[in-house]
Amino acid sequence: MAQALLDTVPPGTLVTGRLAAWLYGVLEPGTRDQMPLDVATRLGNGPHVRRSGVRASRRRLDEDDVVTCHGLLVTSPLRTCFDLIRSSGLVEGVAVADAFLHAGFFTQLQLVKYVGAHPGWRNVRRARQVALLAHPDAESPGETALRLVLVLAGLPEPCVNAPLFDERGRYLGRPDLLYLDPVFGIEYDGAYHDDEDVRRIDVLREQRFRDAGIPLLRYTAEDLQRRQHVIVDVVRSALRGDPTLLEEAAWPLARRVCFARSTLDAARETAARHQGRGQGAVDVASVRS
């Protein structure tokens, strides 16, 4: 596809938006929408492009905002992310930022600083909120949406994909989300979990958690769409140690489970950053599993 783009992108322009993110290997085009061919020229210093199938714009671009990728001029990863999170809803924007952070293109601090260096830009307030909510350990948009349902409801920030080991040092797995007091995991079951082989792996991993005394709560895309209040109520009750929701006998054993100290420190730092955020329902309509 990169070679086809070389023949398609108008001369004197650079690739932007979701197409740029695709070139970086961060986003997929999706099955419902054809990925738009977004291109841009420097504001006041480039040709005005009019071509069928091309969405052209003129933008303020610093030298660091333009790089070469697969032989094409492309907005840098930071600039691409910044543009996308300003033009997306909150949940989709955080999913985009999570994907860039997880790929290692930049750190959360670099994203926060970049957003802060562009005061007054369109939708920059949303970009600031997205940058603070982003997490480099998130691995899927659905997982991000589930985390935001909890955090935006005022619940504590969970650990994300933290590796768990039993008291003998044996690796148990990585629940999507993890709370520490009391200890329990939360899983987002996307469409790929319907695969028979994936389901078999899920069952074995869940059994390891249960053998170690770690209960798991599981939610699907339908839960995120229709039952956010139920998710919040259940997790809130679980955090209070409600034995009717999680096996009461699991708590003493689960407290002996080990995890990396760096994971706990990172979780505490993230929770401190997010204190004082407003509450509200999460719009997950645009987030694919």
Side-chain angles (χ1 to χ4, degrees):
M1 183 173 178
Q3 181 58 48
L5 286 174
L6 284 170
D7 301 328
T8 305
V9 174
T13 66
L14 64 154
V15 178
T16 66
R18 293 186 63 86
L19 188 54
W22 177 85
L23 287 172
Y24 290 127
V26 170
L27 296 183
E28 295 294 334
T31 57
R32 292 180 296 180
D33 305 309
Q34 183 178 3
M35 182 176 290
L37 179 54
D38 288 325
V39 300
T41 58
R42 293 183 184 275
L43 188 64
N45 187 30
H48 185 65
V49 178
R50 290 183 179 178
R51 181 179 295 185
S52 176
V54 175
R55 297 195 312 193
S57 61
R58 292 179 175 177
R59 306 188 184 189
R60 286 180 284 176
L61 295 165
D62 295 330
E63 291 300 323
D64 292 340
D65 287 337
V66 181
V67 299
T68 301
C69 181
H70 298 292
L72 291 161
L73 289 178
V74 185
T75 49
S76 69
L78 259 176
R79 178 58 190 266
T80 301
C81 181
F82 178 62
D83 288 342
L84 287 172
I85 65 179
R86 288 187 301 126
S87 61
S88 304
L90 179 63
V91 180
E92 185 179 6
V94 176
V96 168
D98 284 354
F100 273 98
L101 292 177
H102 188 72
F105 283 106
F106 45 81
T107 67
Q108 185 179 22
L109 180 59
Q110 288 173 318
L111 178 59
V112 170
K113 287 183 175 180
Y114 187 92
V115 173
H118 295 78
W121 284 46
R122 181 175 59 87
N123 293 332
V124 73
R125 292 181 61 184
R126 180 190 303 159
R128 291 193 192 102
Q129 186 180 14
V130 167
L132 291 174
L133 285 166
H135 199 296
D137 293 328
E139 296 181 350
S140 75
E143 177 188 302
T144 294
L146 178 56
R147 176 169 58 89
L148 292 183
V149 166
L150 304 176
V151 172
L152 294 180
L155 296 180
E157 178 87 11
C159 299
V160 178
N161 288 303
L164 283 175
F165 304 84
D166 66 15
E167 56 188 343
R168 297 183 180 180
R170 293 177 298 190
Y171 177 67
L172 301 175
R174 297 182 303 130
D176 292 339
L177 306 175
L178 174 71
Y179 282 107
L180 306 175
D181 187 20
V183 177
F184 65 96
I186 306 174
E187 291 280 290
Y188 173 75
D189 285 349
Y192 71 96
H193 286 273
D194 295 334
D195 180 84
E196 183 177 346
D197 291 335
V198 174
R199 176 60 64 182
R200 186 180 302 111
I201 294 173
D202 286 344
V203 170
L204 293 174
R205 184 177 60 143
E206 184 168 349
Q207 187 59 52
R208 290 198 299 270
F209 286 141
R210 291 188 177 277
D211 289 345
I214 304 173
L216 283 179
L217 301 174
R218 310 192 78 96
Y219 297 106
T220 65
E222 184 178 359
D223 295 321
L224 289 177
Q225 291 283 358
R226 301 176 181 274
R227 292 181 283 273
Q228 291 185 24
H229 65 287
V230 174
I231 296 173
V232 171
D233 288 344
V234 169
V235 173
R236 181 178 285 118
S237 296
L239 286 168
R240 294 169 179 164
D242 189 336
T244 64
L245 298 171
L246 303 169
E247 296 108 341
E248 187 174 15
W251 302 128
L253 178 60
R255 293 182 191 280
R256 299 201 300 270
V257 173
C258 303
F259 46 87
R261 173 61 56 183
S262 60
T263 299
L264 177 57
D265 292 341
R268 286 172 173 166
E269 291 173 4
T270 303
R273 286 199 308 273
H274 295 318
Q275 284 183 354
R277 281 199 299 256
Q279 300 182 11
V282 171
D283 179 8
V284 297
S286 61
V287 177
R288 302 182 177 89
S289 59

